[in-house]
Amino acid sequence: MTYRHAIVRTSHEDLASGAVLHSAPRFPAFPVRLASEIFQRALALRGGDQPAVLWDPCCGSGYLLTVLALLHRRQIAAVLACDLDPEARNLAERNLALLSQAGLAARAADLKARAARFGKPAYDSAARAACRLAAELDAAGGDVPHA
């Protein structure tokens, strides 16, 4: 597939599943650049310049919705997620909570506490990533309404 929208290759390591965003077995992540490309193609097909309501009827972990909302905050009015699997819904709720300053601050605090408790530098790195995502979210328009 030729990329038309997500043409600049940037690092998306802050969005890697399992670092700041929550992950679990059976709930695979989706490639960030490809997700961004597909979302931007959908916006172009829809036309207009109003922010979109992004709905995923089979959201799984909510990873895809969360990543798209963090990447494209200015183009998203709200995020709606559904899934029949209670485990998926629980994981999606945790990921969608990261679409707010409070959620990202709580995640950063949890990761910092884990770093202190277990002495793992990866947790410190993930906590810094959560803080970067919070700053980017704030600069792009703030918390994303979600349900």
Side-chain angles (χ1 to χ4, degrees):
M1 175 174 86
T2 302
Y3 285 81
R4 292 185 236 152
H5 300 279
I7 55 175
V8 176
R9 290 181 183 253
T10 58
S11 170
H12 296 296
E13 70 181 286
D14 288 352
L15 299 170
S17 182
V20 176
L21 276 73
H22 302 279
S23 64
R26 297 190 308 111
F27 297 100
F30 197 85
V32 174
R33 184 173 176 226
L34 180 58
S36 179
E37 175 69 21
I38 292 168
F39 175 73
Q40 290 179 81
R41 284 183 184 204
L43 284 180
L45 287 171
R46 181 194 72 158
D49 58 357
Q50 294 297 317
V53 173
L54 187 58
W55 173 51
D56 187 345
C58 302
C59 72
S61 69
Y63 171 83
L64 178 61
L65 289 170
T66 304
V67 164
L68 287 173
L70 289 169
L71 280 177
H72 299 285
R73 173 61 185 103
R74 288 183 174 92
Q75 291 87 23
I76 295 178
V79 170
L80 303 173
C82 305
D83 205 288
L84 291 175
D85 182 347
E87 186 180 354
R89 285 194 311 270
N90 180 44
L91 193 53
E93 286 174 2
R94 293 172 62 204
N95 278 324
L96 293 174
L98 301 174
L99 296 178
S100 70
Q101 292 297 321
L104 284 166
R107 182 65 169 147
D110 176 58
L111 291 164
K112 287 176 188 174
R114 288 174 186 242
R117 181 174 171 198
F118 299 115
K120 291 184 77 173
Y123 286 129
D124 271 328
S125 178
R128 287 190 301 275
C131 292
R132 285 191 297 273
L133 290 173
E136 292 169 11
L137 181 63
D138 188 49
D143 296 358
V144 180
H146 58 277

